[in-house]
């Protein structure tokens, strides 16, 4: 099946957007606009072969799974939390971080009591982590400033992403354990992984030479 | 107050029912022309009679309930297993080969946004183990998809011979579609991939003869969530619609679970998804 329509890539905005764009540039795919100074949310490359969508990182899997985008660039953390039905093509190596447990005092997570309150954006991963050693925890679902929760007394510990540990230290929290390590991934829609197989394979091979 | 339906089922108002019936009739005409006879299996059966043949993956997804005597029943979980049961319990070797078609719903526990009642039309060739029967199934599938007006359809064909040499870790990575953990992008292509597997080579030649090569690709990374396939298995898709619209494969050991030794191959089209794909087109 020959393809003439551009291949659509949903890219998480923010840090992943800049890195993703830089990577595509290295592969010779350049865009007139990087969308930084406009309110537009999509841009097509100069040859008309690739369209980028700028979406929230947590929305990348939805665009890819439902065929709104053929490909996506998103953190492994988002994939682990959402378990979307997509194909994971390539480890892009950048945006390295860890999902960690942190609290005000050092303690082995396995020694925490039942009904420990855990503040997190990553509820599915937190649940899976504690389920593995049979500990029932109470979720405190937050969307930001997670590090405040123990200090303000609404949670006993937190489960959050950290790259350098600086934010944790600044908020007087110590790491208790690592849930997983994450880097950015190239993902594909299941059908696109077939209908655009050759394009995706050569793009992936090209990207790999620049990692 | 409106009376609600359970999650996973849907109503068909006259216009929708009319469109649905026309679609089914179009598909049925292809099946009829290809010499498949319509049959129908019961909407529910004894769970313990089907469970070994279904295998753990399908058992996990099926819908079970008790009859008034407390016996465990299962709503038709797929077509292939009840048809295998029906062939073995009603017929004998002297009746083979058979070419059957069906058009009925199956029932699966719904995933987060999936259907519980899934309407499927499909065919089975029972009692023929030749690559020509594999090709006939794939050709019938392509014709059925074309007949309803779908453009840019494709079929990816996998085979147990691709999967069997892999480690459990690799199989699990492919099942999760995690090519990072698998270690590479699985190979996918034409005839050149299957020259060392005689039955696939024969299938590829037959499809070439039938002028169908452009529709099919061999995919070494394809893996299915049912356990009974013994040879080829395949998925159909249409470009621009994000989900598979049908699947099938060869199951040479399944019917022997019910006491009759008969090879078989077939496919089922997901009618709900074909309707959706047509709306998206």
């Amino acid at each position: 099946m020959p393809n003439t329509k551009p291949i659509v890539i949903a890219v998480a905005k923010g840090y992943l957007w800049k890195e993703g764009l830089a990577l595509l540039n290295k592969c010779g795919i350049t865009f007139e606009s990087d969308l930084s100074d406009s309110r537009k949310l999509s841009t097509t490359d100069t040859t008309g072969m690739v369209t980028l969508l700028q979406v929230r990182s947590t929305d990348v899997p939805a665009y890819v799974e439902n065929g709104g985008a053929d490909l996506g660039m998103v953190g492994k953390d988002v994939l682990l939390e959402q378990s979307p039905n997509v194909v994971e093509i390539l480890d892009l190596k950048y945006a390295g971080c860890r999902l960690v447990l942190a609290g005000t005092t050092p303690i082995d997570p396995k020694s925490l009591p039942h009904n420990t309150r855990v503040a997190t954006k990553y509820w599915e991963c937190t649940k899976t982590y504690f389920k593995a050693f049979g500990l029932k925890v109470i979720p405190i679902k937050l969307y930001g400033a997670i590090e405040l929760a123990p200090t303000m007394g609404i949670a006993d510990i937190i489960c959050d992403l950290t790259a350098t540990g600086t934010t944790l230290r600044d908020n007087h929290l110590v790491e208790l354990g690592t849930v997983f390590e994450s880097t950015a991934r190239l993902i594909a829609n299941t059908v696109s992984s077939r209908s655009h197989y050759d394009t995706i394979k050569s793009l992936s091979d090209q990207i790999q030479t620049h990692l | 107050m409106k009376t609600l339906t359970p999650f996973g089922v849907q109503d068909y108002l006259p216009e929708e029912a009319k469109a649905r019936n026309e679609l089914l009739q179009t598909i049925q005409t292809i099946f009829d022309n290809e010499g498949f006879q319509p049959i129908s299996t019961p909407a529910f059966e004894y769970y313990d009679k089907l469970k070994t043949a279904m295998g753990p993956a399908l058992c996990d997804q099926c819908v079970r309930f008790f009859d008034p005597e407390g016996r465990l029943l299962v709503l038709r979980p797929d077509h292939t297993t009840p048809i295998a049961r029906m062939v073995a319990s009603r017929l004998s070797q002297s009746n083979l080969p058979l070419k059957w078609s069906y058009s009925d719903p199956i029932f699966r526990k719904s995933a987060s946004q999936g259907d519980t009642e899934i309407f499927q039309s499909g065919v089975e060739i029972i009692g023929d183990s030749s690559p020509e029967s594999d090709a006939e199934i794939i050709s019938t599938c392509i014709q059925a998809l074309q007949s309803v007006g779908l453009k840019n359809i494709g079929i990816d064909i996998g085979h147990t011979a691709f999967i069997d040499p892999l480690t459990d870790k690799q199989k699990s990575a492919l099942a999760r579609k995690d090519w990072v953990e698998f270690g590479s992008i699985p190979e996918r292509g034409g005839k050149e991939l299957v020259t060392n597997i005689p039955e696939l080579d024969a299938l590829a030649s037959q499809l070439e003869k039938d002028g169908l090569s452009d529709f099919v690709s061999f995919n070494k990374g394809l893996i299915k969530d049912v356990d009974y396939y013994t040879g080829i298995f395949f998925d159909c898709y249409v470009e621009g619609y994000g989900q598979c619209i049908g699947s099938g494969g060869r199951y040479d050991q399944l019917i022997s679970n019910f006491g009759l030794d008969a090879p078989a191959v077939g496919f089922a089209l997901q009618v709900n998804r074909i309707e959706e794909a047509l709306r998206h087109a």
Side-chain angles (χ1 to χ4, degrees):
Chain A
M1 291 192 296
N3 270 297
T4 46
K5 278 188 289 183
I7 195 159
V8 179
I9 313 179
V11 184
K13 61 181 171 191
Y15 179 69
L16 286 163
W17 174 262
K18 281 187 204 120
E19 291 285 327
L21 213 57
L23 202 50
L24 291 172
N25 288 342
K26 280 185 202 162
C27 297
I29 303 164
T30 52
F31 300 85
E32 270 171 23
S33 159
D34 65 359
L35 300 183
S36 60
D37 52 0
S38 91
R39 303 187 74 153
K40 276 179 62 183
L41 298 171
S42 70
T43 178
T44 299
D45 83 311
T46 41
T47 63
M49 294 297 289
V50 180
T51 294
L52 294 188
L53 309 180
Q54 190 179 52
V55 300
R56 278 182 76 119
S57 95
T58 46
D59 294 343
V60 172
Y63 274 91
V64 176
E65 181 171 357
N66 295 296
D70 300 298
L71 292 171
M73 288 176 167
V74 67
K76 176 75 175 171
D77 57 307
V78 176
L79 299 177
L80 285 167
E81 179 65 13
Q82 297 187 6
S83 307
N85 181 18
V86 297
V87 186
E88 220 173 297
I89 306 271
L90 185 65
D91 184 351
L92 297 173
K93 313 277 190 195
Y94 57 80
C97 58
R98 292 175 301 130
L99 186 71
V100 299
L101 298 168
T104 47
T105 48
I107 181 173
D108 177 356
K110 290 191 177 69
S111 318
L112 286 165
H114 280 291
N115 298 321
T116 294
R117 297 167 304 164
V118 188
T120 185
K121 278 192 272 194
Y122 292 84
W123 180 233
E124 288 302 324
C125 295
T126 305
K127 215 162 54 177
T128 308
Y129 178 84
F130 282 107
K131 208 173 162 185
F133 46 91
L135 196 65
K136 183 197 157 217
V137 293
I138 297 172
I140 308 291
K141 179 100 187 163
L142 297 179
Y143 294 89
I146 317 281
E147 294 84 357
L148 273 178
T151 320
M152 302 317 291
I154 65 165
D156 301 303
I157 61 168
I158 69 165
C159 181
D160 199 19
L161 286 185
T162 179
T164 59
T166 313
T167 315
L168 293 179
R169 279 191 299 277
D170 288 354
N171 287 280
H172 313 293
L173 295 172
V174 291
E175 268 185 46
L176 310 177
T178 300
V179 178
F180 61 69
E181 293 180 0
S182 166
T183 47
R185 297 294 147 101
L186 181 68
I187 61 172
N189 173 271
T190 312
V191 170
S192 301
S193 76
R194 297 169 187 181
S195 55
H196 293 72
Y197 179 85
D198 293 336
T199 315
I200 291 172
K201 177 119 180 30
S202 79
L203 181 65
S204 167
D205 289 346
Q206 250 182 307
I207 288 175
Q208 218 160 357
T209 63
H210 296 291
L211 293 177
Chain B
M1 197 181 111
K2 287 186 178 168
T3 307
L4 302 176
T5 56
F7 187 79
V9 297
Q10 71 171 95
D11 296 320
Y12 282 82
L13 289 165
E15 267 178 33
E16 295 164 328
K18 184 165 175 269
R20 151 69 57 101
N21 288 342
E22 283 170 6
L23 183 67
L24 294 178
Q25 192 49 54
T26 307
I27 295 171
Q28 190 61 49
T29 303
I30 299 292
F31 294 170
D32 291 347
N33 292 346
E34 292 297 308
F36 292 91
Q37 293 179 294
I39 55 101
S40 198
T41 62
F44 54 86
E45 303 204 27
Y46 289 121
Y47 174 69
D48 64 331
K49 303 287 183 206
L50 296 192
K51 93 177 165 195
T52 309
M54 282 159 65
L58 193 50
C59 284
D60 273 353
Q61 298 177 56
C62 69
V63 180
R64 286 168 289 189
F65 61 105
F66 293 104
D67 75 0
E69 279 75 45
R71 283 171 300 203
L72 193 53
L73 304 176
V74 58
L75 284 179
R76 188 190 294 118
D78 69 348
H79 289 283
T80 303
T81 313
I83 286 174
R85 194 270 310 146
M86 182 168 157
V87 170
S89 54
R90 301 275 165 190
L91 302 170
S92 65
Q93 290 290 350
S94 61
N95 299 102
L96 305 181
L98 300 164
K99 287 174 69 174
W100 282 357
S101 71
Y102 55 81
S103 196
D104 280 308
I106 62 160
F107 302 87
R108 301 271 176 95
K109 272 189 253 179
S110 56
S112 60
Q113 26 181 322
D115 295 317
T116 304
E117 183 175 22
I118 300 161
F119 206 95
Q120 291 188 338
S121 292
V123 300
E124 317 276 356
I125 299 177
I126 298 152
D128 188 341
S129 61
S130 68
E132 288 75 25
S133 60
D134 289 347
E136 185 177 352
I137 282 294
I138 286 166
S139 155
T140 305
C141 185
I142 292 170
Q143 289 182 58
L145 292 173
Q146 286 181 321
S147 73
V148 301
L150 288 171
K151 303 267 184 290
N152 294 328
I153 54 170
I155 293 187
D156 267 36
I157 303 174
H159 196 280
T160 45
F162 295 147
I163 301 300
D164 288 343
L166 302 177
T167 64
D168 285 347
K169 208 175 157 224
Q170 287 173 312
K171 286 182 202 169
S172 146
L174 283 184
R176 284 179 284 114
K177 305 196 186 92
D178 185 346
W179 295 352
V180 174
E181 197 185 309
F182 182 67
S184 64
I185 295 181
E187 281 182 284
R188 179 181 179 278
K191 208 172 181 321
E192 71 283 357
L193 285 188
V194 299
T195 44
N196 57 347
I197 303 170
E199 58 175 284
L200 276 184
D201 198 39
L203 170 63
S205 302
Q206 185 63 46
L207 292 171
E208 203 168 21
K209 238 183 271 171
D210 297 339
L212 300 173
S213 300
D214 285 351
F215 294 102
V216 299
S217 301
F218 293 99
N219 186 334
K220 290 192 169 185
L222 193 62
I223 202 159
K224 300 297 294 181
D225 64 348
V226 286
D227 307 309
Y228 49 63
Y229 290 125
T230 54
I232 63 156
F233 41 83
F234 57 92
D235 273 345
C236 339
Y237 55 90
V238 50
E239 199 182 310
Y241 177 68
Q243 299 189 70
C244 291
I245 51 176
S247 63
R250 173 163 286 286
Y251 52 99
D252 287 349
Q253 310 301 327
L254 183 68
I255 304 175
S256 68
N257 277 294
F258 302 102
L260 181 73
D261 197 15
V265 60
F267 73 84
L269 298 179
Q270 302 251 38
V271 177
N272 312 35
R273 288 187 181 173
I274 290 176
E275 290 176 315
E276 229 177 281
L278 286 167
R279 275 197 295 274
H280 282 256

